[in-house]
Amino acid sequence: MTPKMKLPAWPIAAHSSGEFPWLLFYRALLCLVTTALLTICIFPHLDFYRVGSSLDQFRVEQPVPRDIQATTEIRWEDDEETTRLRDSAEKAVTSEFIADTTALPTALQDVDKIFSSVKTTGKDSPAKLAPELSAELAQLDQATRENLHSKAVEILTVAMAQRVEEGKEEVAAQQYIDPLVIEREKLENNARLLKMVTRAAFHATWVKDAAATDVAKKLARDAVSPVYRIYKPGDVILRKGVTLSESNLRQLQHNRLLLSGTYTLVVPLALIILLGVIFFGVYLRVFTRSVYDSSQKLTLLAILLVASVWAATAFSVGEQQYLVALIAVPAGCMVVAGLLGGLVAVPAAVLTALAASFPADHQFAIFLLTLGSALAGIIMVSFIWPARSTVLAALALIVINLLLLTVVPSIIPSGNSTLFLWSDIGTRTLWATAGGLGAIFIAVGAIYMLARPFGILTHYRLMELSNPNEPILRRMMLEAPGSYHSSVMVANMAEAAADAIGVDSLLTRVAALYHDIGKLKRPTFFVENQAPLGIENVHEKLTPKMSYLILSNHVRDGVETARENQLPEEVVQIVSEHHGTTLAVYFYHRALTEANGDPVSEYEYRYPGPKPTTREAALVMLSDSVQASVKSIQQPNAQRIAEMVNEIIQNRLDDGQLDDCPITRRDLRLVSEVFLRILTGLYSYTRIEYPDMKDKKIGERTQVRANTNQQTTLDAGDTEENAPGD
């Protein structure tokens, strides 16, 4: 049953038959366009220059990758010596001052406040006079205080008429105030008090002019001419490992020691990217042929690759390169994993991590950070459904990012940026959190928005389709109620079987819910709908061949209805395969009976196929066949149900219906056990027979209790035909 793996042939049949191979041409064109776009994203951010016959990366504030020698006599500005001389000239500039016209009025106001506040003994005056001196002034008589007050005003007026520069008040006070105090006050105690008062109120009359000082310093720096060195041919200008300054880079370019590597660089870069894209295409052809054969999926993959690399390079500036490395590429790879699968996402992570690390300051460190976070994100994609597990996935990605940010720069020196990043654990945690949450938010949103336009099936879409309020399911519930309830039963069985053998249970359930939507076209021709709709069996009036055609057409009608309602292609495929090429046994036997011995070919009464090609389709086929057959058992019990389940599965196996899908005998054994457990619980239980109380007189309370018990039994899940008294 499991087919041998064989590599598919290259799609050249159309070309050999004379038709133009459009898909092959589209792949080649997409490969070239993707290469060109990736090159355009990366090239502007590469700081590579041609030095002689080789290319090297020269970046400001990064170590010089090689010794730079003069090829001719070069006049080179010595940055360090020029800076030293200019700094010295700047320090030699004295501060500029401007006259303060408010100095004297302010000082006189302070004197007035000092003498007006001496009555409040023990409290500082506005001039911050010591409390004991203030107390001494308060002890003087009124005439003495007024005399000292007028002398203080006179002394300050004379002293502050001089040029007193800010910062030199103490020296100026000794020079101007002290002699005036001695001259005007002979009493020693009063002279001491007068000196303290005038010094407390004394202000600088010339203050620093910051703007003029800055202009003077700039003029002093500019007045210093640059210092030049003369290098002879062969002299080493810059040694390997020296930090490259912006001035040095400019001088290297000016002296044509570094030449722009535009054409010599873009060709090898494009070739490297082209090889990567080609190898990626070969990988897709060998391991994920469904993506390789779909132009829509290839286009989506190319868009995601280019968008990830563009975001990683366009916003990766300075310290941002670490944060961008933890958001752009991981988010893109998570979208690839969510839409196209993990087998596609892993090589996409390697390719985008390499491309994004080309223009980075520290290529290997960024490559490891990007690749590690992207691979972790790919793993986490499977845990973001259902929504309740998204938080755990985000926390796991944050922890992994934190470990990467801790370990990678520790073993790979990353220059000055590492010192900034690893200053404390808070910074690392912040970057890891921003990277993890940013990547997951972008990935979830992109997956949701891109899935439907590109015809890709996701868990979100499957959950939407499993909602009973979906229009097509509502139609089945109303127009074909028997088929709807049968489909729900098939879905329950198929989903449980899918869980048992480890296939996509959500896809299996959704496909089972929709597998009979073709019956909406002629619901009254199917026996499960005739009783609910109150219609007799119309097949008694039709020939077996006509009944077979109506019956078998529901598969084709189902495919048409599914495509009209834009159901996912995976669901449409299972709808087309759920009967395979099985025999319509009932109508075949009717045909034999009515043929009166004439031969009747069974191939005229088989479904057109195709046979199931996936295990999900096989489970829908088996569930549909088993539940329909078990319902026909008279007085079902566990033994009869088990015999019927095993017989149906064996018949499908012997009939070759499972030859094209990779289901194993172990899978079939597990499926049989699941079917038996579900159907036995549904059909083989016994009910308690209620006594007939019609001819007995019972009290009102007893009647109410009996009615309540009966209603409780119905509410617990019994069907009306099993209710007592029916």
Side-chain angles (χ1 to χ4, degrees):
M1 288 171 293
T2 304
K4 294 181 179 180
M5 180 180 178
K6 58 181 180 179
L7 296 179
W10 287 98
I12 59 174
H15 181 68
S16 60
S17 62
E19 299 178 7
F20 188 78
W22 288 108
L23 184 56
L24 186 60
F25 172 77
Y26 181 77
R27 292 194 195 107
L29 180 62
L30 186 62
C31 177
L32 294 176
V33 172
T34 303
T35 300
L37 292 176
L38 290 176
T39 303
I40 293 172
C41 290
I42 297 171
F43 180 73
H45 303 281
L46 294 179
D47 291 334
F48 280 86
Y49 298 91
R50 184 160 58 85
V51 184
S53 60
S54 63
L55 285 170
D56 284 292
Q57 189 177 41
F58 288 81
R59 290 196 169 184
V60 176
E61 302 301 330
Q62 297 299 322
V64 176
R66 58 166 54 232
D67 289 345
I68 304 297
Q69 294 179 332
T71 55
T72 59
E73 184 173 291
I74 291 176
R75 188 168 176 260
W76 185 272
E77 180 181 343
D78 190 334
D79 289 340
E80 294 183 0
E81 184 63 19
T82 302
T83 302
R84 187 187 67 80
L85 294 176
R86 286 175 175 171
D87 289 343
S88 299
E90 181 180 338
K91 290 179 181 177
V93 174
T94 57
S95 298
E96 297 289 333
F97 291 89
I98 186 173
D100 185 2
T101 57
T102 64
L104 181 58
T106 303
L108 296 180
Q109 288 179 5
D110 288 345
V111 170
D112 294 340
K113 290 178 182 178
I114 289 172
F115 282 95
S116 65
S117 64
V118 296
K119 295 180 181 179
T120 311
T121 305
K123 292 189 177 181
D124 292 343
S125 70
K128 303 298 181 183
L129 202 62
E132 58 271 16
L133 297 177
S134 181
E136 289 185 47
L137 288 173
Q139 292 175 1
L140 298 176
D141 57 80
Q142 181 69 23
T144 303
R145 284 202 303 271
E146 290 179 357
N147 182 39
L148 290 178
H149 187 182
S150 62
K151 288 180 179 180
V153 170
E154 182 183 350
I155 289 171
L156 284 174
T157 303
V158 174
M160 294 183 66
Q162 308 298 321
R163 179 185 175 109
V164 180
E165 294 181 354
E166 183 180 358
K168 298 180 180 180
E169 292 89 346
E170 185 67 26
V171 175
Q174 293 178 359
Q175 183 178 358
Y176 302 120
I177 291 180
D178 293 355
L180 292 173
V181 170
I182 295 172
E183 179 183 339
R184 285 169 172 75
E185 183 58 55
K186 303 302 181 181
L187 294 177
E188 182 179 351
N189 186 58
N190 289 351
R192 181 176 57 83
L193 293 175
L194 183 58
K195 183 187 295 185
M196 296 299 297
V197 169
T198 52
R199 280 195 172 217
F202 188 64
H203 287 283
T205 59
W206 286 72
V207 295
K208 292 180 180 179
D209 188 346
T213 302
D214 291 341
V215 170
K217 289 181 178 181
K218 184 178 183 305
L219 292 174
R221 291 186 67 89
D222 294 342
V224 177
S225 300
V227 177
Y228 290 95
R229 294 176 182 271
I230 303 300
Y231 289 99
K232 301 293 183 181
D235 291 346
V236 177
I237 300 175
L238 293 177
R239 294 286 182 183
K240 178 181 179 181
V242 174
T243 301
L244 183 66
S245 67
E246 185 174 353
S247 173
N248 287 340
L249 178 59
R250 186 173 59 252
Q251 290 185 81
L252 288 172
Q253 294 173 315
H254 175 72
N255 290 285
R256 298 187 61 79
L257 295 174
L258 297 183
L259 300 179
S260 178
T262 304
Y263 299 106
T264 56
L265 180 60
V266 70
V267 174
L269 175 63
L271 288 177
I272 291 173
I273 295 175
L274 179 61
L275 287 175
V277 174
I278 290 174
F279 285 143
F280 196 7
V282 173
Y283 172 91
L284 295 177
R285 179 185 177 276
V286 175
F287 296 103
T288 56
R289 191 59 186 263
S290 61
V291 176
Y292 182 80
D293 288 337
S294 172
S295 59
Q296 275 189 320
K297 292 180 179 179
L298 286 177
T299 303
L300 175 62
L301 179 58
I303 292 173
L304 293 175
L305 291 176
V306 173
S308 299
V309 174
W310 171 79
T313 54
F315 300 102
S316 183
V317 180
E319 303 299 341
Q320 286 182 332
Q321 59 186 306
Y322 291 93
L323 181 59
V324 171
L326 296 176
I327 295 181
V329 174
C333 294
M334 291 173 70
V335 177
V336 174
L339 296 177
L340 303 177
L343 285 177
V344 181
V346 171
V350 177
L351 181 61
T352 51
L354 278 172
S357 65
F358 280 163
D361 290 343
H362 316 289
Q363 290 93 342
F364 193 42
I366 294 297
F367 170 72
L368 290 182
L369 284 173
T370 304
L371 181 60
S373 183
L375 293 177
I378 291 170
I379 297 174
M380 294 303 127
V381 166
S382 59
F383 296 101
I384 61 178
W385 293 282
R388 62 177 177 271
S389 63
T390 305
V391 175
L392 295 177
L395 290 176
L397 187 56
I398 290 171
V399 171
I400 293 173
N401 285 344
L402 183 58
L403 292 175
L404 289 170
L405 285 170
T406 304
V407 174
V408 172
S410 300
I411 61 176
I412 302 174
S414 300
N416 296 332
S417 57
T418 305
L419 298 177
F420 172 79
L421 275 177
W422 313 132
S423 56
D424 54 38
I425 190 64
T427 303
R428 284 175 281 173
T429 305
L430 181 63
W431 285 57
T433 303
L437 294 179
I440 284 187
F441 286 152
I442 293 173
V444 171
I447 290 172
Y448 184 80
M449 290 188 295
L450 295 175
R452 187 170 294 187
F454 286 91
I456 295 174
L457 186 61
T458 64
H459 283 72
Y460 286 137
R461 179 64 175 143
L462 288 173
M463 286 188 286
E464 289 178 353
L465 291 174
S466 64
N467 190 336
N469 289 320
E470 279 291 302
I472 193 168
L473 292 182
R474 293 286 298 176
R475 279 189 60 200
M476 283 196 68
M477 194 183 304
L478 298 174
E479 300 174 22
S483 298
Y484 172 78
H485 291 293
S486 175
S487 296
V488 172
M489 184 62 193
V490 171
N492 293 336
M493 294 172 59
E495 181 182 23
D499 282 331
I501 67 173
V503 298
D504 192 336
S505 58
L506 186 55
L507 171 60
T508 305
R509 176 176 183 80
V510 171
L513 287 173
Y514 289 86
H515 79 283
D516 269 347
I517 57 175
K519 294 181 179 180
L520 281 171
K521 194 168 185 178
R522 305 177 187 87
T524 58
F525 283 81
F526 298 90
V527 66
E528 67 268 22
N529 297 317
Q530 292 170 355
L533 296 177
I535 298 174
E536 296 181 356
N537 188 357
V538 296
H539 289 284
E540 295 178 356
K541 303 176 181 179
L542 300 176
T543 63
K545 186 64 175 180
M546 181 60 67
S547 296
Y548 156 75
L549 292 175
I550 295 173
L551 181 71
S552 61
N553 278 344
H554 88 274
V555 175
R556 183 196 63 192
D557 296 336
V559 171
E560 292 177 356
T561 304
R563 290 200 168 122
E564 288 172 1
N565 288 269
Q566 297 181 342
L567 295 185
E569 195 59 34
E570 291 84 351
V571 175
V572 176
Q573 179 181 350
I574 294 177
V575 170
S576 68
E577 296 174 354
H578 79 276
H579 274 297
T581 58
T582 54
L583 180 66
V585 178
Y586 178 80
F587 297 114
Y588 174 65
H589 281 287
R590 270 190 58 191
L592 287 176
T593 303
E594 297 177 6
N596 297 322
D598 293 335
V600 178
S601 174
E602 70 174 42
Y603 293 102
E604 296 180 4
Y605 288 87
R606 283 188 176 271
Y607 283 90
K611 298 177 182 179
T613 56
T614 63
R615 292 195 290 176
E616 289 84 356
L619 293 180
V620 174
M621 167 187 275
L622 294 175
S623 302
D624 188 29
S625 302
V626 166
Q627 71 87 27
S629 300
V630 169
K631 284 196 298 186
S632 65
I633 299 177
Q634 299 295 327
Q635 297 181 348
N637 55 43
Q639 181 178 355
R640 291 178 178 176
I641 291 174
E643 291 175 354
M644 179 63 74
V645 169
N646 292 328
E647 180 182 353
I648 293 297
I649 293 177
Q650 189 61 44
N651 285 343
R652 296 293 178 266
L653 193 60
D654 295 339
D655 196 28
Q657 299 302 316
L658 307 179
D659 289 350
D660 295 342
C661 66
I663 198 166
T664 64
R665 290 187 179 274
R666 178 181 177 278
D667 293 339
L668 293 176
R669 178 176 58 79
L670 294 175
V671 170
S672 174
E673 293 173 358
V674 170
F675 287 172
L676 181 61
R677 183 172 64 251
I678 294 175
L679 295 172
T680 300
L682 182 63
Y683 290 115
S684 65
Y685 67 90
T686 57
R687 287 177 46 84
I688 298 175
E689 184 176 356
Y690 288 85
D692 187 1
M693 305 295 290
K694 291 181 180 179
D695 298 331
K696 296 182 180 181
K697 294 180 179 180
I698 57 177
E700 181 178 354
R701 182 177 300 175
T702 304
Q703 181 64 47
V704 170
R705 184 180 297 115
N707 293 340
T708 302
N709 289 339
Q710 177 176 342
Q711 183 62 43
T712 302
T713 303
L714 287 172
D715 290 344
D718 290 335
T719 57
E720 291 184 1
E721 58 263 29
N722 291 331
D726 288 345

